[in-house]
Amino acid sequence: MENMGIFFALLGASCSALMSGIGSALGVGKAGQAASGVVTEDPSKFSKVLILQLLPGTQGIYGLLIAFITLTQIGLMGGGSSDLSLTKGLLYFAACMPMAFVGLISAIAQANASISSIALVAKKPDQFGKAMIFPAMVETYAILALLISILSVFGISSLSI
Amino acid sequence: MADNSYIYADARIHVHESTMLNAAFMEQLLSAPDEAACLKLLQEHGWGAPGMAAEAMLEGETAKTWELIAELVPDLSVFDVFRYESDYHNLKAAVKEACTAGKHPGIYLHDGTVEPEKLEESLTARDFDALPEEMREPARHALDTLLQTRDGQLCDCIVDRAALTAIRSAGERSGSELLALYGEITAAVGDLKIAVRALATGKERDFMELSLAPCATLDAGRLADAATDSMESLAAYLSSTRYAGAAEELKKSSTALECWCDNYMIEQIRPQLHNVFGLDPLAAYILGRRMEIRSVRIILTGKRNEMADAEIRGRVRMTYV
């Protein structure tokens, strides 16, 4: 049982990278299909649809960031002590969950919004600025989750439990 | 949950929608002095090639639509619902061919799901099992009726009813909301046109019962009652249904009613312009193109026959985009 702390902390870090990564991969893939459809018909729209395709990719980066910070805090990266109590390990696990779940779901939701925006740009290229805003709104919630996970992970390290 | 199967196809179709003819272009066509000027405008828009005849241009546009859809959808059978009309037209032709001496070239349409030659062979040999299941009974019934009564109109009614029933069932089976709606509206509008024609020609209720296809949005019994009574009764019944708009058009002319029916379909499919998932935007594009080609045909025919602009305008369908 004395090693379960590090296990849960690592599980949290993995989930953060894994679930956000899955969400982003699905999202970028779906948006990529729509982008390919538009570029097939009108190659001049490549740069515009590429930006919209990449929007759901940020969640994967956020998940990776949380995983890196957690690994650093628990001493698995950059050296230091890896002696972690079960309670602290569970706390790290809980801290990673906002990014894991919100990352997965928001990336898929953002992809749907991106696909709609790609269709908008396909018909009205001059509305690109507005088209960007709709999927970008979904990003807000991924950023909120990222903030909570970062603050929690840093906060746990200062606890003496 | 979004249907991810057609994201690429939907995106391509939405790009193509921007090249469809809009109301402003239709006005330009209507303002053109003659057919040649209309053809020139259409060629500038990318339709056909210089010097191409009107009918060849329209056929070419229909073919272009299906080529694009074939490129996007691996299994075209999902759109069989749009091809049943040709199948049942061919069935009518084959039934009559089987009952008359000699061959009549050019009577078949070649965009159905069943080869016309196969239909003709099956009916000549009375081998109904070789036909698709939904066609067997109507084919047998229509052939027997024509042989016994020599009443071509009755034979047509049997096949038309079967066609409407098949289109509605195929729409329901497709799993697509839009195709189900298309099947339902096609059946209802078909019934409505039958009722109007029956009323105009003073048909009995028995004839109505034989001709009207079942559908969810019109009560065949009440429609038959109204159509055997008077135009006012028919309009009054329609006013209580979702086809209330047709009641007004009934009073004008059968052409106005036809136009209203097509416009109603366009109104129902227009939300697909903003849908980016699933099969429905593709189905709506096919229908939108079909209506667009129909409108252009009306304008070209009108200009060729020197009809008044107002008369042509009254027949032109609403545009999808």
Side-chain angles (χ1 to χ4, degrees):
Chain A
M1 283 297 280
E2 67 265 22
N3 293 327
M4 289 306 277
I6 193 79
F7 168 76
F8 279 112
L10 189 58
L11 184 64
S14 303
C15 283
S16 174
L18 187 77
M19 290 169 72
S20 299
I22 290 172
S24 282
L26 289 174
V28 174
K30 280 169 68 173
Q33 288 182 51
S36 305
V38 173
V39 173
T40 306
E41 299 297 337
D42 185 357
S44 69
K45 295 198 176 90
F46 173 73
S47 55
K48 286 178 177 165
V49 296
L50 179 70
I51 294 168
L52 291 167
Q53 185 205 351
L54 290 177
L55 284 176
T58 50
Q59 282 83 347
I61 300 169
Y62 300 159
L64 186 72
L65 180 66
I66 293 299
F68 268 130
I69 296 171
T70 308
L71 293 178
T72 310
Q73 293 294 320
I74 62 176
L76 282 182
M77 267 180 76
S81 167
S82 59
D83 202 15
L84 210 64
S85 70
L86 175 62
T87 312
K88 218 166 180 181
L90 284 169
L91 285 174
Y92 275 118
F93 177 75
C96 291
M97 286 305 103
M99 194 62 249
F101 281 99
V102 178
L104 173 69
I105 294 164
S106 69
I108 295 169
Q110 195 171 32
N112 291 343
S114 279
I115 292 166
S116 301
S117 291
I118 287 169
L120 197 164
V121 167
K123 285 185 184 173
K124 295 180 178 173
D126 54 317
Q127 299 298 315
F128 175 67
K130 288 175 189 164
M132 272 263 295
I133 292 172
F134 301 125
M137 296 303 281
V138 186
E139 193 75 15
T140 313
Y141 302 96
I143 293 171
L144 293 180
L146 173 71
L147 270 176
I148 288 300
S149 286
I150 286 181
L151 292 174
S152 305
V153 169
F154 280 125
I156 293 162
S157 60
S158 60
L159 294 175
S160 51
I161 45 173
Chain B
M1 197 71 173
D3 179 356
N4 299 330
S5 326
Y6 297 99
I7 292 174
Y8 172 79
D10 290 339
R12 281 189 67 180
I13 281 298
H14 286 310
V15 176
H16 275 271
E17 281 165 2
S18 54
T19 62
M20 286 177 78
L21 308 186
N22 56 19
F25 190 87
M26 289 295 177
E27 272 304 317
Q28 260 185 288
L29 285 181
L30 283 164
S31 311
D34 53 25
E35 188 188 8
C38 288
L39 289 173
K40 192 165 177 286
L41 277 171
L42 288 164
Q43 277 157 15
E44 283 166 6
H45 194 81
W47 283 41
M52 196 177 242
E55 202 46 46
M57 180 189 274
L58 299 178
E59 278 173 19
E61 287 304 309
T62 305
K64 256 176 21 188
T65 305
W66 283 105
E67 276 165 24
L68 174 66
I69 296 295
E71 207 181 306
L72 299 175
V73 182
D75 178 14
L76 269 184
S77 67
V78 289
F79 294 123
D80 278 355
V81 64
F82 295 132
R83 301 160 76 195
Y84 283 169
E85 216 176 301
S86 298
D87 279 339
Y88 283 84
H89 162 88
N90 289 343
L91 179 61
K92 271 195 269 189
V95 166
K96 287 172 186 166
E97 184 94 334
C99 295
T100 50
K103 289 267 180 191
H104 304 87
I107 58 172
Y108 295 115
L109 299 173
H110 292 274
D111 56 350
T113 61
V114 186
E115 289 297 317
E117 294 74 24
K118 187 182 163 190
L119 271 178
E120 197 178 301
E121 275 169 30
S122 308
L123 285 159
T124 310
R126 292 187 64 86
D127 178 14
F128 300 108
D129 290 339
L131 297 173
E133 201 180 336
E134 280 182 318
M135 259 190 192
R136 289 174 198 163
E137 194 42 46
R140 189 195 309 272
H141 191 187
L143 188 62
D144 290 345
T145 303
L146 191 60
L147 286 170
Q148 286 161 16
T149 65
R150 291 278 153 194
D151 184 344
Q153 196 185 23
L154 195 57
C155 164
D156 285 352
C157 286
I158 294 164
V159 180
D160 285 342
R161 183 185 195 273
L164 295 177
T165 309
I167 290 171
R168 185 167 172 262
S169 319
E172 277 177 356
R173 279 197 312 268
S174 68
S176 151
E177 216 173 283
L178 188 93
L179 291 179
L181 181 72
Y182 167 77
E184 177 60 33
I185 294 176
T186 304
V189 159
D191 281 354
L192 180 57
K193 288 176 187 171
I194 290 167
V196 172
R197 278 199 298 269
L199 181 62
T201 51
K203 295 286 181 194
E204 297 295 321
R205 201 178 191 288
D206 290 351
F207 176 87
M208 299 285 294
E209 279 169 10
L210 185 76
S211 308
L212 296 178
C215 63
T217 48
L218 282 180
D219 181 335
R222 288 185 65 191
L223 186 65
D225 287 340
T228 44
D229 186 15
S230 65
M231 195 59 90
E232 286 70 31
S233 301
L234 187 56
Y237 169 60
L238 285 177
S239 302
S240 66
T241 68
R242 62 193 280 184
Y243 308 103
E248 280 301 306
E249 306 302 318
L250 275 180
K251 294 166 194 162
K252 295 179 191 166
S253 65
S254 59
T255 312
L257 178 68
E258 292 262 353
C259 194
W260 180 87
C261 293
D262 285 347
N263 288 346
Y264 182 76
M265 184 74 84
I266 287 287
E267 278 172 13
Q268 301 303 308
I269 65 170
R270 265 195 178 155
Q272 299 308 322
L273 284 170
H274 312 292
N275 182 7
V276 288
F277 297 105
L279 196 64
D280 292 356
L282 305 178
Y285 176 76
I286 296 170
L287 282 171
R289 285 279 286 165
R290 188 192 271 188
M291 295 298 179
E292 173 181 277
I293 291 166
R294 190 172 292 172
S295 286
V296 171
R297 180 174 277 118
I298 289 167
I299 294 173
L300 293 177
T301 311
K303 294 283 179 189
R304 197 180 305 141
N305 295 302
E306 295 173 355
M307 282 167 67
D309 282 356
E311 205 178 332
I312 304 173
R313 187 173 277 109
R315 294 170 190 227
V316 171
R317 272 52 169 171
M318 204 181 261
T319 54
Y320 177 50
V321 292

